């Protein structure tokens, strides 16, 4: 709350300069009980997201860790407010709850890319997209922004091939 005004001033200045998207990584959400999250964390975060939305921009909120215990709070936001990017949250559950309300992003565990093989990656993406693709509003990506150097290149190729095979509408 102490930084809210400063943050919103920066948002306003960024929008004046043409910024349309705001990436917001959250580090605490999985460590807070639903009661504490709703009482202390969510009201301020919600205000920031609403101000970004009111100014005509979109928030891309990276809900790090597990966020399933707080998913319903996202329904407090207006439809189409931005993108909920999940690291470890079950994106199928998130899509079921937030369909036609919030764009969901994530779905590929880094562990699968590092230790899987092209076959398991293809099957995983096929099965996942069958569940989350209907109705749109889903962006397939890794649970974190970068993958480890030791990730086999054939596994990265398998992701691309699977998306081209199963990701078309």
């Amino acid at each position: 709350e102490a930084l809210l005004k400063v943050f919103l001033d920066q948002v306003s200045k960024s929008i004046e300069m043409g910024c349309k998207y705001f990436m917001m990584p959250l580090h605490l959400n999985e460590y807070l009980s639903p009661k504490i999250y709703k009482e202390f964390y969510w009201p301020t975060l919600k205000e920031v997201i609403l101000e970004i939305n009111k100014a005509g921009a979109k928030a891309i909120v990276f809900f790090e860790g597990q966020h399933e215990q707080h998913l319903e709070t996202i329904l407090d936001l207006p439809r189409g407010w931005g993108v909920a990017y999940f690291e470890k949250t079950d994106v199928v559950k998130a899509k079921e709850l937030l369909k036609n309300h919030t764009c969901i992003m994530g779905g590929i565990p880094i562990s699968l890319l590092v230790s899987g093989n092209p076959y398991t990656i293809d099957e995983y993406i096929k099965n996942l997209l069958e569940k989350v693709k209907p109705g749109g509003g889903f962006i397939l990506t890794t649970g974190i922004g970068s993958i480890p150097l030791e990730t086999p290149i054939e596994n990265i190729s398998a992701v691309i091939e699977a998306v081209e095979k199963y990701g078309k509408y």
Side-chain angles (χ1 to χ4, degrees):
E1 290 173 350
L3 295 173
L4 182 61
K5 184 181 176 343
V6 173
F7 186 75
L8 291 177
D9 286 345
Q10 289 301 106
V11 165
S12 180
K13 289 175 185 169
S14 297
I15 288 173
E16 286 174 18
M17 295 181 348
C19 184
K20 302 244 185 254
Y21 301 96
F22 291 85
M23 179 64 170
M24 301 168 58
L26 307 181
H27 306 292
L28 294 174
N29 49 294
E30 85 171 324
Y31 300 110
L32 301 174
S33 70
K35 180 184 182 312
I36 297 294
Y37 183 86
K38 287 177 186 171
E39 185 175 343
F40 295 105
Y41 195 80
W42 178 244
T44 306
L45 175 60
K46 178 182 171 184
E47 187 174 346
V48 170
I49 294 169
L50 290 174
E51 287 298 318
I52 289 169
N53 193 255
K54 189 167 87 176
K58 300 283 184 188
I60 302 169
V61 182
F62 184 36
F63 295 101
E64 294 185 50
Q66 292 287 349
H67 195 73
E68 290 174 25
Q69 68 273 27
H70 309 305
L71 277 176
E72 289 188 10
T73 60
I74 296 170
L75 293 171
D76 293 345
L77 300 169
R79 184 178 186 271
W81 63 270
V83 178
Y85 181 4
F86 295 110
E87 178 186 18
K88 296 178 183 173
T89 299
D90 181 341
V91 293
V92 174
K93 248 187 216 179
K95 177 74 190 294
E96 287 171 3
L97 179 68
L98 302 171
K99 67 183 169 202
N100 300 320
H101 181 274
T102 297
C103 181
I104 306 299
M105 185 170 166
I108 303 174
I110 291 298
S111 59
L112 176 64
L113 292 183
V114 174
S115 61
N117 61 55
Y119 175 78
T120 59
I121 290 168
D122 182 86
E123 284 297 305
Y124 178 87
I125 291 175
K126 176 185 176 188
N127 292 331
L128 178 63
L129 290 178
E130 284 175 358
K131 296 172 187 167
V132 297
K133 198 171 77 170
F138 181 78
I139 300 168
L140 181 69
T141 189
T142 55
I144 57 172
S146 60
I147 56 175
L149 188 58
E150 64 270 14
T151 304
I153 193 73
E154 59 269 14
N155 289 357
I156 297 168
S157 295
V159 170
I160 295 166
E161 291 167 12
V163 169
E164 289 175 347
K165 202 179 339 177
Y166 311 116
K168 294 181 181 161
Y169 283 90

